[in-house]
Amino acid sequence: MELGSSTSPGTAVQRILVVDDDPTISEVVARYLERDGYEVDVASDGEEALIKGRSGLPDLVVLDLMLPKVDGLEVFRLLRAEDSVPIIMLTAKGEETDKLVGLSLGADDYVTKPFSPRELVARVKNVLRRSASPRIHDGDSLRFQDLVINPKTRQVRSHGADVELTAKEFDLLVFLAQRPRQVFSREQILNQVWDYVYVGDTSTVTVHIRRLREKIEADPAKPRYIQTVWGIGYKFQG
């Protein structure tokens, strides 16, 4: 497929793998992505998606859940087991359980058919922008743009300044930051960070999330790192 005209000379072209068994959808999505300067590869089933994904790992995958040969969720698991490639799930299913499964696995976004190709392209751009500065290890530290976390010394710096956290605030931050893009319910966080058995009150999680945002986010009302997944819980967007 030819590249779109918006690609400037000397700019690295980002490669998108579109996986869908409906050739009409794949063709339309590919055409819109190419117009924005992306290089697009297409797979029509799960087996082909794994072959193309492994032969030259793409910058992002648009992945349908309903696939022949290998199920979309299994493709997701296998690709993510080898690399943290950003993945947008695309499906005709509208059930909440499918969305929950996809997000809990760490999907970067979720689009339900029918959809606007322009909206999908916008979501691709957003996900690629968010993942442009991936988490890197520097000695014992975790670095996320302007946020630095050192689990060994229990030190945190945000926007170049030291951040004072309580012991439990730090434990919560490290728990989420070590699992970027994975969604956790308040009950799961309570069980993992506080070692509590969930008995119906998760308000302490909500309070600690709010305090963390006030301390590490440039704008706590529009958090960059600790994001709310409505109806489910929270995730750390690295």
Side-chain angles (χ1 to χ4, degrees):
M1 296 183 181
E2 295 182 359
L3 298 181
S5 59
S6 62
T7 303
S8 58
T11 301
V13 178
Q14 292 176 300
R15 176 173 169 254
I16 312 296
L17 175 61
V18 177
V19 186
D20 199 301
D21 61 343
D22 186 329
T24 301
I25 291 177
S26 295
E27 181 181 349
V28 171
V29 171
R31 185 164 64 246
Y32 273 81
L33 288 169
E34 287 170 347
R35 286 176 181 174
D36 269 72
Y38 298 106
E39 179 181 352
V40 182
D41 203 355
V42 173
S44 59
D45 58 60
E47 188 176 279
E48 185 181 10
L50 289 172
I51 292 173
K52 291 187 174 182
R54 288 164 168 167
S55 62
L57 200 66
D59 295 289
L60 182 143
V61 179
V62 177
L63 177 65
D64 186 21
L65 288 185
M66 299 294 290
L67 294 172
K69 296 187 178 180
V70 181
D71 178 75
L73 287 176
E74 183 63 16
V75 172
F76 182 101
R77 292 188 185 97
L78 292 172
L79 288 179
R80 273 290 175 81
E82 300 176 13
D83 192 272
S84 58
V85 56
I87 297 177
I88 297 177
M89 286 190 168
L90 182 65
T91 179
K93 288 186 175 182
E95 291 86 353
E96 187 71 13
T97 53
D98 295 308
K99 182 175 182 178
L100 293 177
V101 170
L103 292 174
S104 65
L105 286 173
D108 296 86
D109 205 345
Y110 187 101
V111 179
T112 303
K113 301 175 184 176
F115 61 91
S116 161
R118 290 188 178 89
E119 178 188 356
L120 180 58
V121 171
R123 294 195 182 207
V124 166
K125 289 180 179 179
N126 287 336
V127 171
L128 286 172
R129 184 170 60 250
R130 293 200 306 262
S131 61
S133 299
R135 176 183 57 167
I136 60 173
H137 293 271
D138 180 13
D140 296 316
S141 296
L142 298 172
R143 292 181 176 269
F144 305 89
Q145 294 188 355
D146 49 23
L147 178 65
V148 183
I149 308 166
N150 190 315
K152 187 175 181 179
T153 64
R154 298 181 71 84
Q155 293 177 310
V156 176
R157 289 180 64 82
S158 179
H159 300 86
D162 291 333
V163 178
E164 295 296 328
L165 300 179
T166 66
K168 198 54 68 176
E169 288 168 354
F170 184 85
D171 292 342
L172 174 58
L173 177 60
V174 170
F175 173 76
L176 294 173
Q178 289 181 333
R179 299 161 180 83
R181 297 193 300 270
Q182 188 170 346
V183 180
F184 294 95
S185 68
R186 292 172 181 82
E187 294 87 350
Q188 289 174 317
I189 293 173
L190 195 63
N191 293 339
Q192 294 294 322
V193 179
W194 275 263
D195 294 324
Y196 290 173
V197 176
Y198 172 58
V199 291
D201 184 7
T202 60
S203 59
T204 188
V205 175
T206 305
V207 170
H208 278 74
I209 290 289
R210 185 181 70 246
R211 290 175 178 169
L212 265 181
R213 285 172 171 165
E214 291 172 350
K215 293 180 178 182
I216 70 170
E217 300 282 2
D219 183 357
K222 298 178 181 178
R224 159 72 176 82
Y225 294 109
I226 302 177
Q227 298 184 357
T228 299
V229 181
W230 297 108
I232 307 174
Y234 304 99
K235 69 175 180 178
F236 187 93
Q237 186 63 56

